[in-house]
Amino acid sequence: MEHFDIAIIGGGQSDLAAAHAVRERGLQPVVLEASAQAAGSWPRYYDSLTLFSPARYNSLPGLPFGAMAIATRIATK
């Protein structure tokens, strides 16, 4: 039987960020999501998702988003 230190209910952006924070602290989380994929509930309500905020606000902790991911790779070389 697998051991998890914490259960995170939901697989949306904030839930995945919480799982990352838990792992950063050396704990083992399990993310419980009702749907087949992590995305939160928005795919059930909207045909698409358009992000209007700057890219730096759209990433997940430890996983840069779009242009920010490219800029981060260039800046660290």
Side-chain angles (χ1 to χ4, degrees):
M1 185 162 143
E2 270 189 271
H3 169 80
F4 299 102
D5 297 306
I6 188 168
I8 297 171
I9 310 299
Q13 185 174 7
S14 61
D15 307 305
L16 297 176
H20 179 79
V22 167
R23 290 185 64 117
E24 290 272 305
R25 286 159 181 78
L27 300 173
Q28 182 64 37
V30 60
V31 177
L32 305 173
E33 170 58 43
S35 67
Q37 63 184 16
S41 61
W42 74 264
R44 291 189 297 271
Y45 302 108
Y46 305 104
D47 292 333
S48 66
L49 176 66
T50 302
L51 302 173
F52 294 102
S53 54
R56 69 178 173 261
Y57 300 122
N58 295 326
S59 64
L60 289 168
L63 186 62
F65 178 79
M68 285 303 293
I70 295 166
T72 301
R73 282 194 298 263
I74 292 169
T76 57
K77 286 186 178 181

